[in-house]
Amino acid sequence: MNDPRPPGLTKTAPLPASTVDPRLETGSHACSDSGCEPGAEVHAESPHKGKTGLRRVWNALHYSMAGLRAAYRHEDAFRQEVLLAAMMIPLALILPADGIGHALMVGSVLLVLIVELLNSAVEATVDRVSLEDHALAKRAKDIGSAAVLITLCNVPTTWGLVLFG
């Protein structure tokens, strides 16, 4: 992304008011490893960062459930993988294997869902930034898709090694 600062201003100089995100607070100074700069931007912390204990866990549970619902509602691939998981996890538990074998087979299926969720998050973020075709956006989406493919290939490999040694 191009730096919106006029030529001659350093990276630590404040952005012009028209380009500053309203969620940022400008403090009297900001400090980093290189020292303090007067008028530098100070990013506001999330209001949820101060939550601790059970309240934080409760909030995290709700955010996680919202994420699962959103993925199921908006991602065809996630729905298909959930359906496969619903069939394969019980199958993994009844096939002849020891405890570690069962854990590996179930874990390989759950890993597909985890990586699909991360891939969907990357895709949603890329689309949020811009729907225009861009080489970096394509690369990010392709890499996420490759990660899902690798985890999908891992399932039969893991199952085969557990079941057939």
Side-chain angles (χ1 to χ4, degrees):
M1 184 167 142
N2 292 336
D3 191 353
R5 292 173 181 82
L9 287 180
T10 64
K11 293 265 185 202
T12 58
L15 291 169
S18 62
T19 60
V20 174
D21 188 326
R23 294 172 292 180
L24 299 178
E25 297 174 0
T26 302
S28 59
H29 70 281
C31 297
S32 65
D33 294 337
S34 61
C36 296
E37 298 290 334
E41 295 174 13
V42 179
H43 295 273
E45 285 288 330
S46 166
H48 304 292
K49 291 293 183 187
K51 307 261 190 281
T52 59
L54 291 177
R55 184 66 179 157
R56 183 190 157 288
V57 173
W58 183 254
N59 287 346
L61 174 65
H62 282 278
Y63 300 142
S64 298
M65 295 307 294
L68 288 170
R69 280 191 302 274
Y72 195 83
R73 184 178 305 124
H74 300 288
E75 299 295 332
D76 293 335
F78 185 72
R79 283 193 299 276
Q80 293 168 351
E81 291 157 353
V82 165
L83 179 63
L84 284 173
M87 292 184 292
M88 293 181 79
I89 289 173
L91 180 62
L93 296 175
I94 63 172
L95 287 172
D98 61 1
I100 293 174
H102 287 260
L104 287 170
M105 290 191 295
V106 170
S108 68
V109 173
L110 292 177
L111 187 60
V112 171
L113 297 176
I114 292 166
V115 173
E116 184 64 50
L117 287 168
L118 294 172
N119 179 46
S120 296
V122 167
E123 288 184 354
T125 302
V126 167
D127 290 345
R128 165 61 175 93
V129 171
S130 175
L131 293 175
E132 295 177 18
D133 288 337
H134 191 279
L136 290 175
K138 181 181 182 335
R139 184 189 312 168
K141 289 183 173 191
D142 289 350
I143 290 170
S145 180
V148 173
L149 176 64
I150 290 170
T151 60
L152 286 168
C153 292
N154 182 55
V155 172
T157 303
T158 301
W159 284 50
L161 289 170
V162 167
L163 296 172
F164 306 115

